[in-house]
Amino acid sequence: FAIISATANNGSFFAGNGMDIRPFSLDTQMLWFRTHLRELVQAAAAAQQNGSVGALLSGALVALGEIGGNDYNFAFSRGVPRDAVRRFVPAVVDKLAGAMEELIAMGARAFVVPGNLPFGCTPLYLQRFRANGGWWDYDPATGCLAWFNRFAQYHNRVLAARLDRLRRLHPDVTIVYADWYEATMSIFQDPGKLGT
């Protein structure tokens, strides 16, 4: 149910922060998912199988993609200051946690939730957010935009802490944090290892 360029938050969040962005959001994805689940339950009931959402989700692995990056990217690309975008992080993580709570209430018992990638290393972002402040904006070991990667790490710390709270609230649910940031950074830090 992922949509390219989707955000965690909806248009009203961005309007409240002075931006005219009308994205597909996690709300849209969850609406489509709920609609799909109802259709599956109806089909299972018609086939006289166990027709309940809980039965469908209890044995499923719910992958929640990398959520939140576009919320930040849209804001950064519109010139919103870094400290203002940093204040978006709790709202993004809250939105994701809310979707997880809804899915848990529907019967989901296993999740994989990846953090943000090191966007400061991608050519698109290296070009778009080119550092004007000088060499200190770059990581000397990788050439990546250090400030952008620190931002991604901050998001990931807030997300990991929130996932820990969800684990404590729901000890019968498996929640795995997928550390895409460190996995990807290992490539940027030592690309020669890819050939071995």
Side-chain angles (χ1 to χ4, degrees):
F1 300 93
I3 307 166
I4 194 163
S5 297
T7 57
N9 290 292
N10 58 34
S12 62
F13 171 84
F14 292 106
N17 284 282
M19 292 179 283
D20 184 23
I21 299 172
R22 294 181 187 93
F24 283 105
S25 68
L26 185 56
D27 292 338
T28 305
Q29 295 172 54
M30 288 297 293
L31 172 69
W32 290 350
F33 184 69
R34 286 189 301 271
T35 301
H36 182 67
L37 282 178
R38 280 193 299 272
E39 292 168 356
L40 289 175
V41 168
Q42 290 168 355
Q48 298 181 357
Q49 298 171 356
N50 188 353
S52 75
V53 170
L56 286 171
L57 288 179
S58 65
L61 173 63
V62 179
L64 284 172
E66 177 276 315
I67 295 175
N70 288 322
D71 293 63
Y72 312 134
N73 295 337
F74 284 137
F76 284 133
S77 68
R78 284 166 173 75
V80 176
R82 294 177 199 171
D83 59 332
V85 179
R86 185 177 170 96
R87 290 191 296 269
F88 288 14
V89 172
V92 166
V93 172
D94 285 348
K95 196 71 166 177
L96 175 58
M100 290 179 69
E101 290 279 7
E102 180 180 347
L103 291 163
I104 290 168
M106 295 165 80
R109 292 294 173 262
F111 294 86
V112 62
V113 183
N116 266 322
L117 294 159
F119 291 118
C121 296
T122 61
L124 173 68
Y125 296 112
L126 282 165
Q127 174 62 32
R128 181 181 289 170
F129 303 111
R130 185 178 19 235
N132 295 325
W135 61 267
W136 55 87
D137 284 341
Y138 294 96
D139 178 343
T142 62
C144 300
L145 284 169
W147 69 267
F148 208 156
N149 284 347
R150 284 191 303 272
F151 182 88
Q153 289 174 311
Y154 170 67
H155 166 93
N156 292 344
R157 284 191 306 274
V158 172
L159 175 60
R162 187 59 179 270
L163 294 178
D164 285 342
R165 285 197 338 232
L166 285 170
R167 286 183 195 102
R168 287 191 299 276
L169 284 171
H170 305 284
D172 59 327
V173 175
T174 301
I175 301 172
V176 175
Y177 172 71
D179 192 350
W180 286 4
Y181 182 93
E182 288 301 326
T184 306
M185 279 305 290
S186 69
I187 295 168
F188 289 113
Q189 292 166 341
D190 194 356
K193 285 187 177 177
L194 287 176
T196 59

